[in-house]
C-alpha cells in the first residue's frame, strides 16, 4: 500500500483499508459491529476490507474468552492488527558506538543491542559494525531480516534526502558517503537516514520530554553541538538539511573553538575524546579551579549558541541532551540567558531518553514510513515535503 493519489483506480478501497487498519490499531480486538461504528463504513464494506487484510497477513481473527454466563448463539467475530506481521529497526551510528532498536509494527521495542566502535574507525569498519549489531539484535529476537518493513538510521552530519552525508566531520570518511545506498545493500526494505540531532528531537517528541509540545529545539551537546527542531509538530531540516548546525556559530567572529574553551591546559581537547570531556566536568564538580573555569567558558558558549537558535525559532521547549555528565550545569545559565532576550522564554529541560534518543528517533522514522504506507498518513512528523 503506497501513498494515496487521485489517479489511483483503487483509491476508495485503499482509503477504506487504511481507515479500518487505523481503527484496529487503537481498538484492541473489536468486532465487525465495533469497526462499523468506529469507522462509519457500512458493514459489508468493513467485512470486505477485513477479509482482504486477513489475506495480506496484516489482520487475524482472535478468540476472546467471555466473562460471566456464556452467551447463547455464535460469538461475535473479533479481529486484531498483527503487529508481528512486520518489524522496524532504528539504528544509531555514532563516533563511539553503534546501537539498534527493534520493534513490531506498533513501535513497541522488542529487541535492542549495541557495540563500541573506535572514533578512528574507517567508514567500512563502522558499517561492518552496524551489520554485526543488526544481525545480533535480529538473532536474539528471533526475527528474520526479511520481516523488516523499514529501517531508520541516525548519523552525525548534514544528510541529504537520499541518505548521502553531504558533510560529516565527526566520523572519518563520512563526508560524501552514500550512507543510505551503502546500507540499502543489507536490507530489502526502505532505509531512511537522518541527522542524529534531528532524530533525537523526534524521539523526545514521541517518547521523551517533549510529548506535549509541537514547537521544540533539541540540543545534542558536545564540543561541536548540533540541534534538531520541530516546528508545528514537523521536523524542520532546512533547505539543504543543515538546519540546527549551531556548532559552526563560533566561526562568526569568535575564533576560539569549543575544544580550546573546555581545555584545562594549553592544548585543545580532541573533538571526539568523550572521556577527556567527562574528566573535565568531573574535576569541576570536585572543585578543581581550572576545570571549573573551563566548564564555565564552555557553558557560556553553548548557552549563547542555543539562545541564537531560540531567538530565531521561538520554541515552546528546549531539551538538552548529549553527555551524561555535566549537562545539568547548563540549565540555569541557559534559562537566565533566555529570560534576558526572549519575550516569552521557552521551558528548558534535560532529555528523558539519554543515550537512547538517537536510536529511538531513528525507529520513529521507520514507523512513520510504515504508517504512511499502511494508514495513508500524509502528515507524519518526519515526512519530507
Amino acid at each position: 500500500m503506497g501513498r494515496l493519489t487521485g489517479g489511483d483506480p483503487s483509491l476508495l478501497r485503499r482509503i477504506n483499508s487504511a481507515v479500518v487498519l487505523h481503527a484496529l490499531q487503537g481498538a484492541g480486538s473489536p468486532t465487525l459491529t465495533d469497526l462499523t461504528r468506529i469507522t462509519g463504513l457500512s458493514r459489508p464494506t468493513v467485512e470486505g476490507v477485513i477479509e482482504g487484510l486477513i489475506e495480506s497477513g496484516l489482520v487475524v481473527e482472535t478468540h476472546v474468552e467471555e466473562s460471566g454466563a456464556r452467551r447463547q448463539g455464535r460469538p461475535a467475530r473479533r479481529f486484531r492488527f498483527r503487529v508481528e506481521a512486520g518489524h522496524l529497526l532504528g539504528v544509531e551510528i555514532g563516533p563511539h558506538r553503534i546501537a539498534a532498536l527493534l520493534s513490531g509494527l506498533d513501535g513497541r521495542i522488542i529487541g535492542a543491542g549495541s557495540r563500541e566502535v573506535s572514533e578512528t574507525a574507517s567508514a567500512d569498519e563502522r558499517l561492518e559494525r552496524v551489520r554485526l549489531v543488526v544481525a545480533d539484535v535480529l538473532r536474539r529476537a528471533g526475527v528474520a531480516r526479511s520481516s523488516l518493513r523499514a529501517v531508520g538510521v541516525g548519523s552525525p552530519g548534514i544528510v541529504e534526502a537520499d541518505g548521502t552525508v553531504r558533510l560529516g566531520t565527526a566520523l572519518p570518511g563520512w563526508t560524501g558517503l552514500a550512507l543510505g545506498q551503502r546500507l540499502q545493500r543489507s536490507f530489502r526494505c526502505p532505509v531512511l537516514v537522518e541527522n542524529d540531532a534531528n532524530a533525537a528531537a523526534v524521539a523526545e517528541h514521541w517518547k521523551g520530554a517533549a510529548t506535549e509540545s509541537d514547537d521544540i529545539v533539541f540540543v545534542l551537546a558536545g564540543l561541536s553541538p548540533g540541534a534538531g527542531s520541530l516546528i508545528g509538530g514537523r521536523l524542520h531540516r532546512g533547505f539543504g538539511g543543515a538546519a540546527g548546525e549551531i556548532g559552526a556559530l563560533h566561526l562568526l567572529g569568535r575564533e576560539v573553538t569549543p575544544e580550546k574553551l573546555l581545555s584545562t591546559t594549553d592544548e585543545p581537547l580532541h573533538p571526539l575524546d568523550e572521556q577527556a570531556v567527562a574528566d573535565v566536568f568531573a574535576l569541576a564538580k570536585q572543585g578543581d579551579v581550572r576545570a571549573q573555569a573551563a566548564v564555565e567558558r564552555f557553558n557560556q558558549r553553548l548557552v549563547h549558541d542555543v539562545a541564537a537558535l531560540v531567538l530565531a525559532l521561538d520554541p515552546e521547549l528546549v531539551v538538552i541532551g548529549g553527555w551524561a555528565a555535566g549537562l545539568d550545569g547548563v540549565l540555569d545559565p541557559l534559562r537566565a540567558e533566555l529570560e534576558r532576550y526572549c519575550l516569552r522564554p521557552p521551558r528548558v529541560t534535560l532529555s528523558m531518553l539519554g543515550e537512547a534518543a538517537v536510536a529511538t528517533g531513528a525507529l520513529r522514522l521507520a514507523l512513520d514510513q510504515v504508517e504512511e504506507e499502511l494508514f495513508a498518513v500524509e502528515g507524519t512528523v518526519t515526512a519530507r515535503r
Side-chain angles (χ1 to χ4, degrees), residues 272-359:
L272 298 181
D273 193 343
E274 292 184 0
Q275 186 57 52
V277 170
D279 290 345
V280 174
F281 275 93
L283 287 171
K285 286 190 173 183
Q286 294 167 14
D288 184 281
V289 176
R290 297 190 70 178
Q292 288 177 337
V295 169
E296 174 63 25
R297 291 193 301 266
F298 175 79
N299 283 351
Q300 186 177 33
R301 171 67 60 79
L302 181 62
V303 163
H304 287 170
D305 291 349
V306 175
L309 188 58
V310 167
L311 286 170
L313 297 181
D314 186 29
E316 178 187 0
L317 176 67
V318 175
V319 182
I320 307 294
W323 297 330
L327 285 178
D328 52 347
V330 178
L331 299 188
D332 287 339
L334 179 56
R335 291 186 182 114
E337 190 79 353
L338 296 180
E339 286 174 2
R340 288 178 58 195
Y341 297 115
C342 298
L343 180 64
R344 187 165 57 184
R347 292 184 294 113
V348 180
T349 188
L350 286 177
S351 165
M352 288 179 58
L353 298 174
E355 66 177 9
V358 175

Side-chain angles (χ1 to χ4, degrees), residues 69-197:
R70 186 187 182 108
R71 294 184 178 181
Q72 297 294 323
R74 183 179 178 182
R77 299 174 68 195
R78 292 182 176 272
F79 308 90
R80 71 170 178 87
F81 174 47
R82 293 187 66 239
V83 298
E84 70 275 16
H87 295 86
L88 312 171
L89 198 63
V91 179
E92 175 193 4
I93 302 177
H96 299 92
R97 75 168 197 148
I98 307 297
L101 297 175
L102 178 70
S103 81
L105 294 180
D106 58 354
R108 295 183 182 181
I109 296 171
I110 60 173
S114 66
R115 291 194 185 191
E116 293 183 357
V117 63
S118 171
E119 67 270 14
T120 62
S122 67
D124 287 344
E125 291 171 328
R126 202 171 299 274
L127 291 175
E128 178 60 27
R129 188 59 55 92
V130 170
R131 285 186 279 271
L132 290 174
V133 170
V134 169
D136 184 56
V137 169
L138 292 175
R139 178 185 58 78
R140 287 189 287 110
V143 171
R145 185 177 295 263
S146 60
S147 176
L148 294 173
R149 292 290 189 100
V151 177
V153 179
S155 164
I158 298 172
V159 181
E160 297 182 348
D162 65 354
T164 299
V165 182
R166 182 180 179 187
L167 178 65
T169 58
L171 305 179
W174 224 241
T175 295
L177 179 68
L179 181 56
Q181 187 178 84
R182 291 286 300 272
L183 291 172
Q184 190 67 68
R185 301 173 187 172
S186 300
F187 304 100
R188 301 176 185 175
C189 61
V191 176
L192 307 105
V193 183
E194 188 57 77
N195 167 266
D196 52 0

